[in-house]
Amino acid sequence: LASSIIRSFAETAVGNTTEINWVVFDGDLDTGWIETLNSAMDENRVLTLASNDRIQLPPTTTLLFEVCHLQYATPATVSRVGMLHISKSDAGWFPYLQSLFDKRQLSSTIIPLIDKYAQKCLDWTLNEGQTVIPLTEFQLIHQLCCYVSILLRPSQVSETQPEVHNEREAEHWFIFACIWAFGGMLSTDDKYRARFDRWWRSEWKGLKFPEAGTVFDYCLSPETRKLERWSERVKRMKEGQVQSGMSPISSRYVLTPEMCVSQFFFDKFLDEMQPILMVGPSGVGKSYFVQHRMQNLPESCGYQNISFNYQTTARNLQQILERKVERKMGRRWGPVRTKRLVWVLDDISSCKVDEYGTQSSIELLRQQLDCGFLYERCRWQAIHFSDIHMVATLNPTIGSYLVSNRFMRHFATMQVPVPSRESCFYIYSKLLSDAFNSRGSSTSGTSTQRLQDKLIEATLDIHDKMKSVLQKSYQPPSYGPCLITMRQLCEVFEGVAL
């Protein structure tokens, strides 16, 4: 690919001494390909290929390498290039925010609120909190931008968004965005969300939260523009009832307050074509939740499921991505028979990491997000994908545990936490009741209902005990495969309902 691009520049540069061309190598360096470019960076500027073919680089062509480290660069390479180090403090995150909100005509409203809230929230999250996956300063600021963009916009942009009447109401929506941007990814195992709640209530008084519960238990309703509990919102939604019929228990959907939070923000991000990353341990329902939302897409929008595993490479991933797209015009490609296409990327952390710390399939997707195009593997021409959206799930306890920060920075990251005991009881109670009712044997107000409640409580007690013992015996993530997750508990209750 690199040699074909350089060759095309060399051919077009004949007789042209004014047009300057840049060949940008954006990604991790490894000795497998950087050493082949050493001859092109010498004074003679000749690229020597493995076939002994030679390409003369014209004086107007310059090579630019954009990398995050030089861990695998050799002295031969380092001595041939000029280096410029850009630290995170050189530019900072404020110019990025200002540029983004200038485009959305929100600078006059948002900038004073950023000055008031952003830096203190950022400092607390980085110094006092612990997120489920490591997030950099810029990623947290990007999170804030994503949440503000879907919650606070001029009414003329979209009629479905609440119109902000005054600065006080704008501050309320900004506070709601801050809570979930900085606190939504905090770990729930060590009570970090509870600590964030106490800090927020003592530090900020712009939006008065009720004493009961935490700030994460409340939603700023788009309809009433007042605070309400997520549990109250669940009761008003039709999806609060399980799907009826004879389908297996494990394939039915029960909306809980935790899932209501995910659904509320997921749908808004999806409408904005914002890439979404769902993070959570095994068995919490990430993949099933995404599939449920995909099945509720309008007819004009399709989706493609792509499951990642250890053998997923850039080559076979590109073959899968090209199955549901077609050539629209020139080099522009788009969805087949639909206006939009969602790539559902499941378990992206399970890809193999090569000896240089790179996942080739992840880097391929990052190129699409960064540049908007990929290269055909037969003719090495750029193909631009349009109307493509990405939704990904990540389990930080399997595979490589994490993926490149340069890839994750494009996503609005949402945590899918392990449901509380109250939510688990509600889920399994609904599932069993629906299973019995579908067979004509109602359990309401009978001894069967009391026996059902005792059975669920006993099962959850055993599960909690096993989890406690295993966590003391093994260090994470080694105990992960030994734990019984909600997926296995569903199978237990499915056997009870037979």
Side-chain angles (χ1 to χ4, degrees):
L1 174 60
S3 61
S4 64
I5 294 175
I6 295 175
R7 188 190 300 275
S8 65
F9 283 157
E11 294 172 353
T12 57
V14 177
N16 186 355
T17 60
T18 59
E19 183 179 354
I20 299 177
N21 297 313
W22 296 82
V23 183
V24 181
F25 296 86
D26 184 6
D28 297 332
L29 288 181
D30 65 68
T31 55
W33 61 269
I34 191 61
E35 290 295 325
T36 62
L37 295 175
N38 284 346
S39 61
M41 293 184 285
D42 288 335
E43 293 182 357
N44 56 11
R45 298 173 61 83
V46 176
L47 176 62
T48 304
L49 305 181
S51 60
N52 208 28
D53 192 8
R54 297 173 181 268
I55 303 174
Q56 179 68 50
L57 267 71
T60 55
T61 300
T62 303
L63 306 184
L64 175 64
F65 300 91
E66 183 182 350
V67 299
C68 59
H69 61 79
L70 295 172
Q71 182 176 355
Y72 300 105
T74 62
T77 299
V78 174
S79 62
R80 286 175 165 86
V81 298
M83 294 189 187
L84 175 63
H85 176 255
I86 302 176
S87 66
K88 64 179 182 180
S89 60
D90 288 338
W93 48 264
F94 187 79
Y96 166 74
L97 286 179
Q98 190 170 21
S99 173
L100 177 64
F101 293 128
D102 280 344
K103 295 179 182 179
R104 295 178 176 268
Q105 303 175 3
L106 286 172
S107 291
S108 59
T109 305
I110 297 298
I111 297 303
L113 297 174
I114 292 174
D115 294 336
K116 181 179 179 181
Y117 289 96
Q119 189 60 55
K120 287 187 177 181
C121 293
L122 190 62
D123 292 339
W124 191 95
T125 305
L126 294 176
N127 300 326
E128 303 293 335
Q130 179 180 326
T131 53
V132 290
I133 57 174
L135 294 175
T136 63
E137 182 178 283
F138 186 85
Q139 285 176 304
L140 289 171
I141 292 298
H142 177 69
Q143 289 285 99
L144 178 62
C145 293
C146 293
Y147 280 91
V148 170
S149 298
I150 63 171
L151 295 174
L152 186 62
R153 299 189 305 172
S155 59
Q156 66 268 20
V157 176
S158 174
E159 296 179 356
T160 61
Q161 296 296 324
E163 181 181 2
V164 179
H165 293 296
N166 50 53
E167 294 182 1
R168 184 175 181 83
E169 187 173 347
E171 184 174 7
H172 289 174
W173 284 107
F174 189 85
I175 289 173
F176 185 51
C178 272
I179 289 173
W180 288 101
F182 294 107
M185 290 297 293
L186 290 175
S187 174
T188 58
D189 294 337
D190 297 321
K191 309 298 182 182
Y192 283 103
R193 282 196 175 186
R195 299 180 194 178
F196 182 88
D197 171 68
R198 292 193 296 269
W199 173 79
W200 185 275
R201 290 176 184 270
S202 62
E203 185 73 24
W204 309 112
K205 307 296 181 183
L207 182 60
K208 181 66 175 178
F209 285 90
E211 293 296 331
T214 68
V215 294
F216 299 101
D217 295 328
Y218 293 90
C219 167
L220 190 57
S221 173
E223 296 82 16
T224 63
R225 305 187 184 184
K226 297 180 180 179
L227 289 173
E228 65 173 348
R229 295 186 73 98
W230 289 105
S231 56
E232 296 174 357
R233 192 174 184 83
V234 171
K235 296 178 182 178
R236 298 201 315 269
M237 300 176 68
K238 294 181 180 180
E239 291 175 341
Q241 303 297 324
V242 295
Q243 301 171 3
S244 59
M246 300 298 292
S247 58
I249 282 181
S250 58
S251 65
R252 301 179 188 178
Y253 184 80
V254 181
L255 192 65
T256 63
E258 291 88 353
M259 281 300 176
C260 186
V261 175
S262 299
Q263 182 171 312
F264 179 83
F265 291 115
F266 185 94
D267 291 345
K268 291 182 178 296
F269 286 134
L270 198 62
D271 291 340
E272 287 294 306
M273 296 287 286
Q274 170 64 45
I276 307 170
L277 177 62
M278 310 291 290
V279 180
S282 177
V284 296
K286 302 184 301 297
S287 301
Y288 185 73
F289 168 80
V290 172
Q291 290 301 315
H292 180 267
R293 301 318 300 161
M294 292 297 103
Q295 293 169 7
N296 287 274
L297 291 175
E299 295 182 358
S300 61
C301 186
Y303 67 97
Q304 180 182 11
N305 291 318
I306 305 171
S307 296
F308 283 64
N309 54 58
Y310 188 76
Q311 301 298 331
T312 303
T313 62
R315 179 179 293 275
N316 56 38
L317 175 61
Q318 185 168 347
Q319 294 174 350
I320 296 173
L321 296 179
E322 293 176 356
R323 289 177 184 172
K324 285 197 173 184
V325 294
E326 61 183 2
R327 189 185 301 273
K328 298 294 185 181
M329 182 177 62
R331 296 182 181 179
R332 188 165 297 278
W333 293 55
V336 179
R337 296 189 301 274
T338 59
K339 295 181 179 178
R340 291 169 55 188
L341 177 66
V342 181
W343 287 338
V344 181
L345 315 172
D346 196 20
D347 285 337
I348 58 175
S349 62
S350 59
C351 305
K352 178 183 178 181
V353 181
D354 64 24
E355 58 182 320
Y356 301 106
T358 303
Q359 295 168 294
S360 62
S361 56
I362 298 299
E363 294 302 312
L364 181 76
L365 294 172
R366 186 181 66 83
Q367 180 182 344
Q368 167 62 24
L369 290 171
D370 281 343
C371 308
F373 66 86
L374 303 176
Y375 285 98
E376 287 184 300
R377 292 188 174 270
C378 53
R379 293 178 293 178
W380 300 120
Q381 292 183 350
I383 52 177
H384 298 261
F385 291 98
S386 59
D387 301 318
I388 300 294
H389 180 60
M390 290 190 194
V391 175
T393 64
L394 184 147
N395 182 352
T397 63
I398 65 170
S400 62
Y401 309 122
L402 297 172
V403 295
S404 169
N405 283 333
R406 302 189 69 192
F407 174 71
M408 290 176 57
R409 67 184 174 88
H410 292 281
F411 287 82
T413 309
M414 300 167 56
Q415 179 184 184
V416 184
V418 178
S420 63
R421 185 183 176 92
E422 294 76 13
S423 295
C424 289
F425 183 88
Y426 172 77
I427 291 171
Y428 299 128
S429 177
K430 278 286 188 181
L431 292 175
L432 285 180
S433 298
D434 181 72
F436 290 134
N437 292 338
S438 64
R439 293 174 172 82
S441 55
S442 175
T443 62
S444 178
T446 64
S447 58
T448 308
Q449 176 68 50
R450 294 191 295 271
L451 182 61
Q452 171 184 300
D453 294 344
K454 291 182 179 180
L455 175 63
I456 296 174
E457 288 287 356
T459 305
L460 294 178
D461 287 340
I462 296 174
H463 173 262
D464 292 342
K465 184 63 176 178
M466 291 179 60
K467 182 177 180 180
S468 175
V469 171
L470 289 173
Q471 285 180 337
K472 293 179 180 178
S473 303
Y474 301 93
Q475 293 296 321
S478 60
Y479 65 79
C482 304
L483 289 180
I484 297 178
T485 65
M486 290 188 64
R487 186 182 296 112
Q488 284 74 44
L489 288 179
C490 281
E491 295 175 357
V492 172
F493 292 109
E494 190 169 358
V496 172
L498 291 178

